[in-house]
Each structure stands twice: as structure tokens, then as C-alpha cells.
Amino acid sequence: MLLTARLPGPALFSSRCRRKFPPFPSHFAPFRAIPSRRAFGSIRASASIQSPARTAAGGVPDAAMDAIQRRLMFEDECILVDENDQVVGHESKYNCHLMEKIEKEHMLHRAFSVFLFNSKYELLLQQRSATKVTFPLVWTNACCSHPLYRESELINENALGIRNAAQRKLLDELGIPAEDVPVDQFIPLTRILYKAPSDGKWGEHELDYLLFIVRDVSANPNPDEVADIKYVNREQLKELLRKVDAGEEGLKLSPWFRLVVDNFLFKWWDHVERGTLQEAVDMENIHKLT
């Protein structure tokens, strides 16, 4: 599959990742909740993971990292891919988000972004928690995370692995039960490739699957992951964008969400309202956004 679609801007990416593929081992109405932390399943850490002492150069010291976020950074194994979305290996979430490795080793990993609309065609947004290592307290789409290097989330057919991961993380981050977001209701629209620094130490370099779903759901946000959530209609989102651009209220958006908003979202919103999302599907191309 070729990476054929390109939007304006300089290319930020160079050589493909060369790790070998190993065997499996305001007027917005917010929701607020303070649930207890759910237990995470243990995932075997990669043998190539670096110790904090060797990798902590700039940014917040590893010792100051929130305990839950720290554990996930070392236990979660992200899927490494090349720029054509071919799996080339796996690596810890920690190493995948170090800008030093992103720049020097061109480390690129799979991700997904869920755009969830209710039956009134309002879009669910979340504000990332203050303890998130990358982009804390920014507003973004309903759920943004990574499929893990496990069999159920590596299934390429119809992006089933990605959809399985999205269902898992919607429960973990927003407390949305699996029955509210059936795997077969996610529509993968396209893929984007982008790179964005968060601070001097951390950043993102992702091949991101954009999943759309229209469902009324019950949400019970996990405060370790999410600071706040709210639904917005088109005009409310445009007002949020205006405030972000004007620097009002300290509001910020995640870089991937802003890229999707600026390039795709409003025309896709038309398809959501008309029930014609399938017409917008483009899984053949990977859009390199800058």
C-alpha cells in the first residue's frame, strides 16, 4: 500500500524504522465523575527498553512522573510501523514518545483517534488529564491512544485490531461500556501520519487511524486519564477554535485533533448528519500532515 496523499508543508519524515519484527511476547455542559482507577492487564516490557536514568534528558524528570502514567509508559508495547503502515517491530510507550528516539531513529508507531457523535450529531471532546506525559490538559477528540503489540490488536483485516483497541480504551479512559460501542460500529475513515513535539523531551510520531462512530453512550471518565469531557455542535467547536487561536482562557488543542479539524472534520460532519460516512472512507491513502 503506497503513501500517496500529501497535504501542503515540508516533509518531516525520512527513513523507515529498521527494528526487526520479533515474535509475539463556557456554555459547554461538562460531564464530571471521580471513579476509581481500573486495573490494567500486565504486558511484558520490551527487552530494548531504556532505564529512566539513561533516557531522562530534559523535560520532567522520570521520578516526578505520575505513578500510573509511569507504569503504562513502561508496560504498554506500541506497534512500530514504517511509513506505509507495515509492522516492523514493537517498543515501549516510553521509548516511542522520546523525541530523541523519534528524531534519531525515526521511530513511528500506530495510533488511533476516535470521533464519537451522539444522536444529535454532537461531537464528544475530552480534556486530557494533568498527569498525562504528553500534551496534558489539552482538548482533543473523544479518545486518542495506541493499539498494543498483542494478537487481538494486530489484526489488519478491516482494521479490526485498531477497532478492538478503540473499544478497550473507550472503557478505560471514559468508562464507556463495550456494549455501547460495538466493534462493528466503528468506521475507519482514513489514516494520517504526523509528528509533533510536546516539550523538549516528549512528543508524538504516529500513523493514526481515524475512527468515526455515531452512538449514544454512558460515560464515566477515569480521572487518571481525563480531566473533563463535553459534547459540542459545529458552532460550539468553531467558538472553541476561535478561543484557542486568540489565546483565551488558556485553551489548547492536541496537534492531531487540530490537523483533523483543519483538513477534514467539517466536511466529514456533513456525512455524519446525512448518514453517508461510508462515502468518505479512504483507507487506501495515508495523509502526511504538517
Side-chain angles (χ1 to χ4, degrees):
M1 183 176 297
L2 297 178
L3 189 150
T4 57
R6 180 184 297 270
L7 293 178
L12 295 178
F13 314 97
S14 52
S15 62
R16 58 190 286 179
C17 178
R18 300 185 185 280
R19 294 181 177 269
K20 294 185 182 297
F21 185 87
F24 285 112
S26 75
H27 54 281
F28 299 136
F31 293 81
R32 300 187 184 274
I34 309 178
S36 61
R37 177 68 186 171
R38 290 181 175 81
F40 284 83
S42 177
I43 304 166
R44 180 179 174 273
S46 167
S48 63
I49 193 167
Q50 296 189 17
S51 69
R54 292 201 302 268
T55 54
V60 178
D62 290 352
M65 195 183 297
D66 173 78
I68 291 173
Q69 294 298 329
R70 177 183 170 85
R71 177 164 58 85
L72 294 177
M73 289 291 274
F74 284 92
E75 290 184 356
D76 281 1
E77 289 284 310
C78 294
I79 301 167
L80 298 180
V81 295
D82 64 20
E83 291 190 359
N84 291 317
D85 199 19
Q86 298 301 303
V87 178
V88 296
H90 65 101
E91 186 54 272
S92 70
K93 183 178 176 183
Y94 184 99
N95 282 341
C96 284
H97 291 85
L98 286 171
M99 281 307 297
E100 180 180 7
K101 284 189 168 287
I102 291 171
E103 296 291 359
K104 290 184 177 180
E105 302 180 27
H106 313 292
M107 196 175 287
L108 173 66
H109 61 275
R110 269 186 189 161
F112 64 83
S113 293
V114 175
F115 291 76
L116 189 155
F117 295 82
N118 62 19
S119 58
K120 295 189 289 185
Y121 306 124
E122 296 169 324
L123 177 66
L124 180 62
L125 303 182
Q126 71 151 277
Q127 184 183 32
R128 292 162 65 85
S129 80
T131 62
K132 297 290 280 188
V133 174
T134 59
F135 303 102
L137 293 177
V138 305
W139 284 94
T140 192
N141 47 289
C143 182
C144 325
S145 191
H146 316 94
L148 299 181
Y149 191 81
R150 55 176 63 162
E151 188 171 5
S152 63
E153 297 182 11
L154 279 163
I155 303 170
N156 286 326
E157 185 177 2
N158 298 320
L160 180 57
I162 301 292
R163 291 184 284 128
N164 285 336
Q167 187 185 65
R168 170 178 59 82
K169 287 302 292 183
L170 283 168
L171 174 62
D172 177 54
E173 292 191 4
L174 296 173
I176 297 175
E179 56 268 25
D180 282 6
V181 283
V183 166
D184 62 2
Q185 293 299 299
F186 291 104
I187 300 177
L189 283 193
T190 195
R191 295 167 291 174
I192 66 172
L193 196 160
Y194 76 96
K195 179 165 61 174
S198 178
D199 58 24
K201 179 177 180 178
W202 306 105
E204 296 284 5
H205 188 201
E206 297 185 325
L207 201 153
D208 194 6
Y209 285 67
L210 307 183
L211 305 179
F212 274 50
I213 185 169
V214 182
R215 301 279 294 186
D216 289 321
V217 300
S218 58
N220 186 24
N222 176 349
D224 292 319
E225 297 284 347
V226 177
D228 198 2
I229 64 174
K230 59 191 172 189
Y231 282 98
V232 295
N233 60 30
R234 290 177 190 247
E235 294 309 310
Q236 289 168 334
L237 179 57
K238 290 176 181 177
E239 175 64 9
L240 177 59
L241 295 173
R242 186 197 65 76
K243 289 183 176 181
V244 168
D245 291 342
E248 296 180 13
E249 302 176 21
L251 293 169
K252 295 182 179 180
L253 299 181
S254 71
W256 59 88
F257 180 56
R258 188 60 192 254
L259 286 169
V260 174
V261 170
D262 289 347
N263 289 286
F264 301 115
L265 182 59
F266 289 106
K267 63 183 178 183
W268 286 344
W269 210 319
D270 292 336
H271 286 288
V272 169
E273 293 178 348
R274 295 198 301 262
T276 56
L277 267 174
Q278 289 292 344
E279 295 179 9
V281 171
D282 175 16
M283 292 302 292
E284 295 300 315
N285 295 313
I286 300 169
H287 303 270
K288 185 179 290 188
L289 304 185
T290 60

